[in-house]
Amino acid sequence: MQENRHLFIIFGALLIGVIYLARLFYLQVLDESYAIESSSNSIKKIVEIPPRGQIYDRNGNLIVYNTPVYDLVVTPYKTKVRDTLRLCRTLGIEKTDFDSLMGAARSYSRVKPSLFLRQLSKEEFARIQDVMVDYPGFEFERSSVRTYTSASMANSLGYVSEISKKQLEAQTDPYYRQGDYVGQTGLEKFYEKELRGKRGTKFVMVNVNGVQKGSWKGGELDTSSIVGQNLYTGIDLMVQQYADSLLINKVGSVVAIEPKTGQIIAIASSPTYDPRLLTNRAFSKNYLKLYKNPYKPLFNRAVMSSYRPGSTFKLIQALIALQEGVITAGTGFSHGAAPMKCHGHPFTSTVALGIQHSCNPYFYYVFRKLLYDNDDGNSFTTSAAGLKRWHAIARKFSMGEKLGVDLPSEFKGNVPDDAYYDKHFGKGKWKFSNIYSVSIGEGELLTNPIKLANLAATIANRGYFYTPHIVASIGEKGASPLPQYLEKHETGISPHHYETVIEGMKNAVVRGTVPGFAQLSSGIISAGKTGTSQNPKGEDNSIFVAFAPVDDPKIAIAVIVEFAGFGGSHAAPIANLLIERYLKRETISKSVESYVLRKNYLPNYIFPRGTFPRPKPVPGDSLKKARADSVPIAAGKDTLRKIGYKTKTSTTALRGGI
């Protein structure tokens, strides 16, 4: 019995061996197809990169789309170039360019394909594809370039370029390869994962000449690419283009927000550039020119800039003081003993009048009462507890912290607290005379246009805001935005206090600090606040924040124009025109438009080595000495002495703009 079992095992093993031998004989001798494939063909993996998602405005108008192009890639160890000059003529490049490109490819990898020549148009591809068959090692990959419907919104849209070596090495999830394109700035960077889609792969049989002979295994192992998701924004393209046109020959920014949703209607930065400059083979040359431009067109002033808010910050001062109960709507202050002057108003009897006339002494006393913690305001030391409380409420307006807008590189800003002053002056060694310039939005306060527009939206909503964002939905129109843009942020200030402030803002527009020539003739009732902010680089910055209509706000806006002067005379007309264009869908106030378009506030100098000139002297300013470098912060007398300025009885903040 045991002997039979041994024979059975031996017979089975022999049978299996015969079967394997027979199969090998068939594959290697009888079946010629495998021999042909092994000698003449190879399997090639082709990565399919999907088109990036497109970008639309709130009305369904296309802003960014894709145009098909072809990239020429090279695998160095496969290359056989017998006639280099002929190849250079075919590709339209110089011999030196060819040597440089081949050297870069070899340094990357001899066995891996890398980009040789990018973004060949369909016409260029058709012209050279037959010739390239004579040059093994060179292959075409289908790609696409971003194409723009207008030369608008370049800074916020951002650009796409080849991924850098540093970015490749920093990948935690190895998705990108050498030669891939990636969003580098703006929306293209912030929504890179949504826009890029998901790449696919397919395996094909190719002969020794690289000609495809069909899919491998009938496409069994292929995976399909998934097109990038579209972005549907809150941008109104008509208003956006109008904003860009109004900022021509000006340095500054515009941000307009829909208060009820936080969606950004328009976001402009000037000087800017044509986004099409960074979508072709001249990318490097064009980028270098833009980078070296002294007016910094690549710098998105809407979210990256740093300005003192000037008199627009008086709105926050009034709201905090009302909420804290240190003043009422009917509280008045005389101008006596205040270190800064007003604008021809001997007595300000209410909060609304203080805002209407942008009264500097009024808000000097408001801030002093806040810091002295409800005492009589006659002591010479500042209450740290009062400053802490003031700081905590100011931060609820997202001043001094990032809003979280869907753009990279947002500037945080600065709202000083007791710890800030303890660090600069020593613990407990600072007093009100060191910091009173903060009362009128100067000193150590720093902000940017997106925060000021959000302030206008918060007041329009009577105490809350949604984080400003450009993209309203992803994938399909009407879908929900990212969850963080649905969260309601409360300031904790009672709504009736906002009505007091809004009354002053309404009057500021019609009979306050906005001059008659800057007002609209279209009957729109708006509420606004002017600001004239100290600018250490030259003339003052002109600022204006507003919202309209007052009873049912549909747009909140902030405008900053550098080197322009009074907020009511220069920023306010721009804001008013954009409010009118958005609400009326046309420009009715032609005289205001003509005034804005003919203004040129571009500095008429070239900044040496990326720096700015010394501040220009201002009549009435008591500063006697200016440092060679610009002053990042202008505060009270003690602060100015500490950083090297000599003063008599006033500071840069004492001029106090409207």
Side-chain angles (χ1 to χ4, degrees):
M1 186 72 177
Q2 188 174 357
E3 186 178 346
N4 291 339
R5 186 178 297 118
H6 283 300
L7 290 173
F8 180 77
I9 293 172
I10 293 171
F11 178 77
L14 290 172
L15 181 61
I16 293 172
V18 170
I19 293 173
Y20 270 108
L21 290 172
R23 180 61 176 166
L24 287 172
F25 180 78
Y26 173 78
L27 293 175
Q28 295 185 25
V29 179
L30 301 179
D31 189 350
E32 295 182 357
S33 63
Y34 281 86
I36 294 172
E37 288 179 5
S38 63
S39 62
S40 304
N41 297 273
S42 62
I43 301 167
K44 180 181 178 183
K45 177 182 177 181
I46 299 176
V47 177
E48 292 186 327
I49 300 175
R52 289 177 74 85
Q54 302 182 139
I55 303 177
Y56 296 83
D57 83 341
R58 64 170 50 216
N59 299 310
N61 297 310
L62 197 57
I63 301 176
V64 186
Y65 62 99
N66 304 294
T67 297
V69 292
Y70 294 86
D71 292 336
L72 184 63
V73 298
V74 62
T75 306
Y77 90 96
K78 293 182 179 179
T79 57
K80 293 180 182 179
V81 182
R82 295 184 177 86
D83 190 342
T84 305
L85 292 179
R86 178 185 175 230
L87 177 59
C88 289
R89 285 195 298 269
T90 300
L91 299 178
I93 61 175
E94 299 295 330
K95 174 69 164 54
T96 54
D97 296 328
F98 174 85
D99 294 338
S100 175
L101 292 167
M102 284 300 299
R106 290 190 187 99
S107 64
Y108 166 66
S109 174
R110 291 191 70 258
V111 297
K112 294 181 181 178
S114 61
L115 184 66
F116 185 83
L117 205 60
R118 70 177 71 187
Q119 298 174 358
L120 299 168
S121 67
K122 290 185 293 184
E123 292 75 19
E124 290 172 318
F125 171 71
R127 178 176 58 83
I128 68 175
Q129 64 172 329
D130 291 337
V131 178
M132 295 307 296
V133 174
D134 297 333
Y135 296 94
F138 291 91
E139 299 169 314
F140 291 102
E141 288 185 356
R142 185 164 179 166
S143 182
S144 62
V145 294
R146 298 303 251 172
T147 309
Y148 303 86
T149 57
S150 68
S152 190
M153 201 182 161
N155 296 98
S156 294
L157 290 173
Y159 65 88
V160 175
S161 70
E162 185 178 349
I163 191 167
S164 68
K165 183 179 180 181
K166 184 177 180 180
Q167 289 173 316
L168 277 173
E169 293 172 349
Q171 290 186 93
T172 53
D173 179 20
Y175 177 85
Y176 298 101
R177 308 166 303 155
Q178 179 74 24
D180 282 350
Y181 292 83
V182 63
Q184 301 286 6
T185 60
L187 294 180
E188 297 282 11
K189 179 177 181 179
F190 193 91
Y191 291 100
E192 168 64 19
K193 288 186 178 180
E194 290 81 6
L195 286 167
R196 76 186 183 191
K198 185 177 180 181
R199 59 165 52 107
T201 57
K202 67 176 182 178
F203 298 89
V204 296
M205 303 294 297
V206 294
N207 64 17
V208 290
N209 294 319
V211 178
Q212 295 186 15
K213 305 296 288 185
S215 61
W216 185 58
K217 288 192 174 182
E220 181 181 333
L221 301 180
D222 295 353
T223 58
S224 299
S225 61
I226 300 175
V227 177
Q229 298 183 76
N230 295 332
L231 302 182
Y232 295 88
T233 71
I235 296 293
D236 187 316
L237 191 56
M238 179 182 71
V239 179
Q240 175 68 45
Q241 291 172 334
Y242 192 47
D244 286 326
S245 70
L246 295 178
L247 287 179
I248 290 175
N249 292 327
K250 301 168 184 67
V251 179
S253 177
V254 168
V255 179
I257 299 173
E258 185 177 66
K260 291 183 175 66
T261 64
Q263 291 179 21
I264 294 175
I265 297 167
I267 180 167
S269 177
S270 179
T272 186
Y273 64 96
D274 188 336
R276 290 167 287 202
L277 289 173
L278 301 182
T279 62
N280 53 44
R281 291 205 298 274
F283 171 88
S284 297
K285 181 175 69 176
N286 291 337
Y287 181 86
L288 187 61
K289 286 182 180 179
L290 293 171
Y291 181 78
K292 290 183 175 180
N293 188 308
Y295 296 114
K296 303 185 184 303
L298 293 171
F299 184 72
N300 190 351
R301 289 170 170 81
V303 296
M304 299 168 68
S305 59
S306 171
Y307 304 100
R308 299 183 183 94
S311 294
T312 60
F313 198 80
K314 294 172 182 175
L315 301 172
I316 294 180
Q317 300 284 37
L319 289 166
I320 295 175
L322 288 167
Q323 182 66 26
E324 288 293 287
V326 300
I327 62 171
T328 66
T331 296
F333 293 108
S334 67
H335 300 169
M340 64 268 286
K341 296 181 180 180
C342 195
H343 314 289
H345 306 283
F347 180 76
T348 306
S349 58
T350 66
V351 172
L353 283 171
I355 293 171
Q356 177 181 338
H357 299 299
S358 196
C359 181
N360 291 326
Y362 187 90
F363 286 96
Y364 167 84
Y365 287 113
V366 167
F367 189 53
R368 194 169 76 165
K369 286 186 71 67
L370 274 167
L371 298 197
Y372 287 149
D373 199 15
N374 288 311
D375 66 14
D376 61 4
N378 292 321
S379 60
F380 290 97
T381 59
T382 305
S383 167
L387 187 63
K388 281 183 179 179
R389 192 163 54 250
W390 169 86
H391 178 268
I393 301 176
R395 289 287 292 267
K396 291 184 179 179
F397 289 87
S398 281
M399 294 290 176
E401 61 184 31
K402 291 185 178 181
L403 273 168
V405 63
D406 51 353
L407 287 173
S409 304
E410 179 190 352
F411 173 65
K412 182 179 179 180
N414 186 56
V415 176
D417 59 4
D418 59 315
Y420 180 93
Y421 291 119
D422 285 345
K423 179 179 178 181
H424 285 76
F425 292 97
K427 189 170 180 62
K429 294 183 179 181
W430 50 276
K431 50 189 182 293
F432 189 67
S433 63
N434 301 125
I435 67 172
Y436 63 77
S437 55
V438 172
S439 65
I440 57 171
E442 296 290 345
E444 292 78 13
L445 286 168
L446 293 173
T447 189
N448 56 24
I450 189 79
K451 294 182 190 298
L452 292 177
N454 190 61
L455 170 60
T458 303
I459 297 173
N461 290 333
R462 278 66 172 176
Y464 69 88
F465 67 89
Y466 294 96
T467 299
H469 54 285
I470 297 176
V471 173
S473 58
I474 303 171
E476 58 183 40
K477 189 172 176 59
S480 293
L482 296 177
Q484 60 264 38
Y485 301 129
L486 298 173
E487 182 181 353
K488 190 176 185 180
H489 302 277
E490 302 277 359
T491 61
I493 295 176
S494 300
H496 70 275
H497 293 319
Y498 284 91
E499 297 300 339
T500 300
V501 168
I502 290 169
E503 179 187 352
M505 294 175 70
K506 285 170 58 179
N507 292 332
V509 172
V510 294
R511 50 180 175 271
T513 53
V514 178
F517 69 83
Q519 296 174 16
L520 299 175
S521 57
S522 49
I524 296 172
I525 300 176
S526 63
K529 180 71 190 77
T530 57
T532 306
S533 170
Q534 305 282 308
N535 181 1
K537 304 168 190 173
E539 297 295 335
D540 291 341
N541 295 327
S542 178
I543 306 176
F544 188 66
V545 299
F547 66 88
V550 170
D551 296 330
D552 183 22
K554 290 181 171 60
I555 181 173
I557 192 167
V559 176
I560 294 182
V561 184
E562 298 181 30
F563 314 107
F566 288 128
S569 301
H570 308 286
I574 295 174
N576 287 339
L577 286 170
L578 289 167
I579 288 172
E580 182 179 76
R581 177 61 70 96
Y582 181 66
L583 296 178
K584 298 292 186 178
R585 312 308 293 171
E586 62 177 329
T587 298
I588 299 171
S589 306
K590 295 293 185 180
S591 62
V592 181
E593 181 184 58
S594 176
Y595 167 81
V596 169
L597 291 176
R598 70 172 179 263
K599 287 292 182 179
N600 185 334
Y601 304 115
L602 284 178
N604 58 356
Y605 48 71
I606 300 298
F607 306 146
R609 297 183 183 178
T611 62
F612 293 95
R614 298 183 182 189
K616 297 179 181 179
V618 180
D621 195 345
S622 64
L623 295 178
K624 297 300 182 183
K625 176 187 174 186
R627 295 174 66 182
D629 54 335
S630 61
V631 185
I633 294 173
K637 289 183 291 184
D638 290 348
T639 301
L640 289 166
R641 289 193 188 102
K642 194 171 183 179
I643 61 177
Y645 278 78
K646 295 179 180 179
T647 65
K648 289 183 179 178
T649 57
S650 63
T651 72
T652 53
L654 302 190
R655 296 206 310 275
I658 57 174

